[in-house]
Amino acid sequence: MDSFETRRSGPLIRAESLRKEFQGPGGTPIVAVAAASFHVEAGEIFGLLGPNGAGKTTLLRMLATIITPTSGRCWIAGSAADEAPHAARKHVGFMSGNTRLYGRLTPREMLRYFGRLYEMKDDAIALRTGEMAESLDMTDFLDRRCDTLSTGQTQKVSIARVLLHDPDVLILDEPTLGLDIMSRSTILSFIRAAKTRHHSIIFSTHDMGDAELLCDRLGIIHDGEMLAVATTRELLAQSDASNLHDAFLQLVHGHVTA
Amino acid sequence: MIRPRTILTIFRKESLDMLRDRRTLTAMIGVPMVLYPALFVFGSQAAMMQQNKIESTPSRIAVVGKDAVFVSGWFSEDPQLSVAGARGPVSAEIQAVVVLPDNFRNDVESGRTAHAVVEYDAAEPASYEASRRVVDAMDKQFEQLLKARLDGAGLPETFADPIEVETKNVAPPAKATGAMLGMMLPLIMIVMVGVGAFYPAIDLTAGEKERGTFETLLSTPTLSTEILAGKFLTVFCIAMITGLTNLGSMVATFAFQLSQMGGKLAEYEISFPLRNVALIFAALVPLAFLISAVMMSIAVLARSFREAQTLLTPVLILMIFPAALAAIPGTSLTTATQFLPIANFSLLFKDLMTEHISTASIAAVLISTTLYALLALAFAARVFQREEVVLSVENGLPVTLRRSMYRPRALPTPGTSVFILVLCLLLFFYVGTWLQTTYGLAGVALSQWFLFLAPAVFILWYVRVDLRSAFSLRPPTPLLVIAAVLLGIGWAIINLHLSVLQQRVFPFPESLAEEITKMLRLDEASIFLLIGVLAFSPAICEELLFRGAVMSGLRKLLPAWALFLCVGLAFGAAHMSVHKLGLTTLSGVLLTYIAWRTGSIFPGMIAHVLVNATSVLIDRKYMPASILKITDPALGADQGFPIWILAIAFAFFVCAILIIERTARSRP
């Protein structure tokens, strides 16, 4: 995976007071994300921890410019998402744990499709597909229909799709959700490898183990509020807890009772 | 900046994806290629074989009566008829029975009319054939007996035929065949284009949402307009191909059928010049464009494949009505119908098959359909740009029907609202019509409460929707009550005036009005009963159904103007009168606006009561006739209200709208 390697440095994700409101029943606004501010450096893994409905997916969708913030701004690899969403998206690789593949296409056809959408040339797509097929061990099923693939093979195709255009920023929404041990290990290896290539990675998860193991820093989000942005060690120091799980619960419960 | 290259990339991928789908291929190629030959060729061959079998099988008949022997000899000339000794009745063995009265022979011989009855079983082809043979044989006897009687009286044979009337079809064979095809083909074509667009429209929108791939697509450097354009082109092409394969298969099957008829071919000759084929193709393009755009813009509103099917099935069924207009004898393209979407294509097709039509009419159909198509596409583009619509993936309709499995919710899903609307309209059409014709005014009240309100309340309760928020049961402020009264009075007068004006161009048939008065026994009812049943009852039930159950489910999905139009049209359609459709739709739009803007069902109810009550009072002549100058003898035309009353009504109306707008803006 070296033909597209880019040198990366500095904060590749920057969010300033990002806020998102949705229209609730009867027209009352629902605040999904209140005012999130943080940054993610090149080569850093930033974990987003929070219970269901905390606003993790909404925050990640705003960073990926899939939805527009109600207020606040964010920059992806230097491009302002509100002013130049098109330029920002070119630097983003987005993946969600819920996303399936196009069942009636083969992995090769799917990669070609996304490559073209990222305005890559056909020969560059072919070269990159070959490289990733080799490194992710996909050669055997590259020309099989996606709806015949196993969960592990599907995950590999998803990873290849995300890395195809060599994005600076990887935004992963609960990428290990509902996966078996093998598929989960594929994803975790992929995240670690991305870090060594200096991608900025932000991923949301419920799993404290994954967060503790992988993340350089964590953002704790609850009811749309970003309660803390710190390293695991800082979080433990701030609370009296001995592990991340307890520290997280203290923060969330403290917020609820406050 | 829209990039054609990106659109082409999406189009190519979607086409490849859809062409690998069994359901699409079946609708696009499988059904037309197999269905028509199977229906026409095998169907007609099976019918022919059955007919041949019946025609070659002799019929056994019985003759009953004391003159049976006298008559039996008449049937011996036909080798296919044999008279059985049995006396009936009609059965598998005895296919027809000739019943003779006692004086049959006497009547025949004495120059009177002798009556005979041929009993047969119309449900049995063999029995029908036997009766035909019997009648043929007796007709031959009739000719011989008549000749003998005329000879005996010394009269010429023409004596019994004082006038001979002959009907002659002067239409060229091509026109007659064209007329037949023109009635049938457009309906099939339109429905098939709809069926062709149906599945891809769902799969490429709601299906993509359900699979979660929409989100991935939106994270790429593509514009939502490019995504829409690529997907739309795919749906459009599949709809076109489906339309054309259907047309091709029908024509090929028909031609094959004609060639099988050999000598009879000339009789069914079809003259269908290339110019007409080109014109139909030219009209098919905007039609497929329109149907694809409408289907896509609706399918994208759905949150799941299943919900999209629920929303699109009524659309497909509704398309049949304008499409079937060509099948009604006597209909053709007129100034009015050339602008009716779908109906205009259907009628253009029909007229092209039979006669020459003006270039202006053809242009009107092509241009108006293109404009409607662009309008539908613009709507689809707006929907595609709304992130909450494009990204919503929650399942709209639950898989199970158990009440406990439904999650309590404030408002119904769009699927639930559409289901309630369709169910209530069907109940009202079938059961309501029967109730009203049987029980008159009581039937009207029963239909309102039990066919409109009760099903809506029950379904919303069953799927655990909060009735208070679904029906907007929010008490209005005193100022809103005043606004509702002003609006009710103002609109009642404007509405009546408009109906008087409409009467001049599109009069409500007097006979129909009399029939309704008679059916509902309006003359016998007291004014209090009339106001209760025709004003209060519909105001409560219709508002709760249309502005409650239906509007609450659709309001999150549709932009305000589309919501007003859809709910207004549904309200207009529920009145089941072509004459009233325009004005009731207008009233429906206004009432939907009030409910939407005030967030309460009650102001609309008050206005609705006043509009209906005014109408009842004037109709039953409880208001001074001089107010509404109906039928001015000098002009012989209806005049409507004097200008000063109209000015007051208009002032009331404007005041009411201003109050509603002001109150809505200050609402927390």
Side-chain angles (χ1 to χ4, degrees), chain B residues 232 235 288-298 372-373 376-377 380:
Chain B
F232 171 75
V235 178
F289 198 90
L290 172 65
I291 292 174
S292 308
V294 168
M295 290 210 161
M296 268 193 79
S297 55
I298 292 170
Y372 294 133
L377 197 61

Side-chain angles (χ1 to χ4, degrees), chain B residues 250-333:
Chain B
M250 267 191 286
V251 170
T253 309
F254 196 72
F256 177 76
Q257 278 284 83
L258 289 180
S259 69
Q260 295 291 300
M261 295 170 85
K264 293 180 187 169
L265 188 64
E267 201 181 314
Y268 291 93
E269 181 199 344
I270 307 169
S271 146
F272 202 53
L274 209 58
R275 172 182 167 271
N276 288 1
V277 177
L279 277 172
I280 285 178
F281 182 78
L284 186 67
V285 175
L287 178 85
F289 198 90
L290 172 65
I291 292 174
S292 308
V294 168
M295 290 210 161
M296 268 193 79
S297 55
I298 292 170
V300 76
L301 295 173
R303 284 169 290 190
S304 63
F305 204 97
R306 191 191 295 259
E307 193 171 274
Q309 280 179 315
T310 313
L311 290 177
L312 278 193
T313 306
V315 175
L316 197 61
I317 294 168
L318 278 178
M319 269 170 41
I320 295 174
F321 294 103
L325 210 61
I328 301 170
T331 50
S332 68
L333 210 54

Side-chain angles (χ1 to χ4, degrees), chain A residues 20 61 102 109 119, chain B residues 3 20 203 208 215 387:
Chain A
K20 183 67 185 179
R61 281 176 172 177
Y102 293 112
E109 286 164 347
E119 295 174 331
Chain B
R3 295 156 303 169
R20 285 189 185 155
D203 192 71
E208 180 131 23
E215 201 180 15
E387 54 196 35

Side-chain angles (χ1 to χ4, degrees), chain A residues 20 61 66-68 86 89 94 98-100 102 104-105 109 113-114 116-119 145 161, chain B residues 3 12-13 17 20-21 203 208 210-213 215-222 387 391:
Chain A
K20 183 67 185 179
R61 281 176 172 177
I66 294 170
I67 57 174
T68 319
H86 195 270
R89 282 179 199 165
F94 178 84
N98 298 321
T99 309
R100 281 178 266 164
Y102 293 112
R104 295 183 287 261
L105 299 191
E109 286 164 347
Y113 174 54
F114 279 96
R116 284 174 178 167
L117 292 182
Y118 281 102
E119 295 174 331
R145 268 172 67 138
R161 200 258 308 151
Chain B
R3 295 156 303 169
R12 279 164 64 174
K13 177 261 160 189
D17 200 351
R20 285 189 185 155
D21 179 66
D203 192 71
E208 180 131 23
E210 202 170 273
R211 289 189 293 269
T213 42
E215 201 180 15
T216 315
L217 193 55
L218 289 173
S219 72
T220 60
T222 44
E387 54 196 35
L391 291 172

Side-chain angles (χ1 to χ4, degrees), chain B residues 238-551:
Chain B
I238 292 175
M240 274 295 288
I241 295 172
T242 311
L244 291 175
T245 45
N246 273 281
L247 183 67
S249 178
M250 267 191 286
V251 170
T253 309
F254 196 72
F256 177 76
Q257 278 284 83
L258 289 180
S259 69
Q260 295 291 300
M261 295 170 85
K264 293 180 187 169
L265 188 64
E267 201 181 314
Y268 291 93
E269 181 199 344
I270 307 169
S271 146
F272 202 53
L274 209 58
R275 172 182 167 271
N276 288 1
V277 177
L279 277 172
I280 285 178
F281 182 78
L284 186 67
V285 175
L287 178 85
F289 198 90
L290 172 65
I291 292 174
S292 308
V294 168
M295 290 210 161
M296 268 193 79
S297 55
I298 292 170
V300 76
L301 295 173
R303 284 169 290 190
S304 63
F305 204 97
R306 191 191 295 259
E307 193 171 274
Q309 280 179 315
T310 313
L311 290 177
L312 278 193
T313 306
V315 175
L316 197 61
I317 294 168
L318 278 178
M319 269 170 41
I320 295 174
F321 294 103
L325 210 61
I328 301 170
T331 50
S332 68
L333 210 54
T334 62
T335 316
T337 51
Q338 67 197 11
F339 297 108
L340 271 180
I342 297 180
N344 56 7
F345 171 83
S346 180
L347 292 169
L348 173 74
F349 195 126
K350 179 185 182 182
D351 286 359
L352 279 174
M353 298 292 267
T354 50
E355 59 201 66
H356 284 287
I357 51 175
S358 73
T359 316
S361 284
I362 297 170
V365 173
L366 294 182
I367 292 169
S368 63
T369 308
T370 308
L371 285 179
Y372 294 133
L374 289 174
L375 211 64
L377 197 61
F379 177 68
R382 271 182 77 111
V383 173
F384 253 73
Q385 274 159 1
R386 296 178 62 197
E387 54 196 35
E388 72 273 23
V389 171
V390 176
L391 291 172
S392 60
V393 288
E394 184 196 355
N395 280 328
L397 290 175
V399 184
T400 167
L401 287 176
R402 281 220 330 260
R403 186 169 187 258
S404 58
M405 295 306 285
Y406 292 86
R407 163 174 83 75
R409 54 192 310 145
L411 299 175
T413 63
T416 310
S417 287
V418 172
F419 175 73
I420 291 175
L421 175 68
V422 173
L423 177 79
C424 289
L425 288 184
L426 285 176
L427 280 173
F428 194 74
F429 181 71
Y430 289 108
V431 186
T433 311
W434 172 76
L435 278 175
Q436 290 172 27
T437 43
T438 315
Y439 299 108
L441 216 48
V444 175
L446 285 173
S447 340
Q448 296 277 355
W449 289 90
F450 292 99
L451 306 179
F452 269 176
L453 188 57
V457 173
F458 175 75
I459 293 168
L460 290 181
W461 166 83
Y462 196 85
V463 299
R464 304 179 74 186
V465 169
D466 177 38
L467 295 181
R468 221 180 131 79
S469 36
F471 287 129
S472 306
L473 299 176
R474 204 165 108 143
T477 59
L479 201 60
L480 274 180
V481 174
I482 295 171
V485 171
L486 288 176
L487 192 111
I489 297 171
W491 180 246
I493 291 168
I494 297 170
N495 188 41
L496 273 165
H497 189 78
L498 290 175
S499 71
V500 170
L501 295 184
Q502 183 197 281
Q503 193 71 4
R504 291 187 200 171
V505 280
F506 190 34
F508 191 75
E510 243 172 70
S511 56
L512 192 61
E514 277 169 24
E515 217 168 274
I516 292 172
T517 309
K518 217 166 110 185
M519 182 183 85
L520 299 180
R521 298 189 274 277
L522 296 181
D523 293 332
E524 302 161 20
S526 77
I527 189 66
F528 298 107
L529 186 66
L530 286 176
I531 297 273
V533 174
L534 300 178
F536 277 94
S537 172
I540 296 167
C541 303
E542 290 172 4
E543 286 311 303
L544 287 171
L545 172 66
F546 292 99
R547 261 63 66 176
V550 175
M551 191 185 91

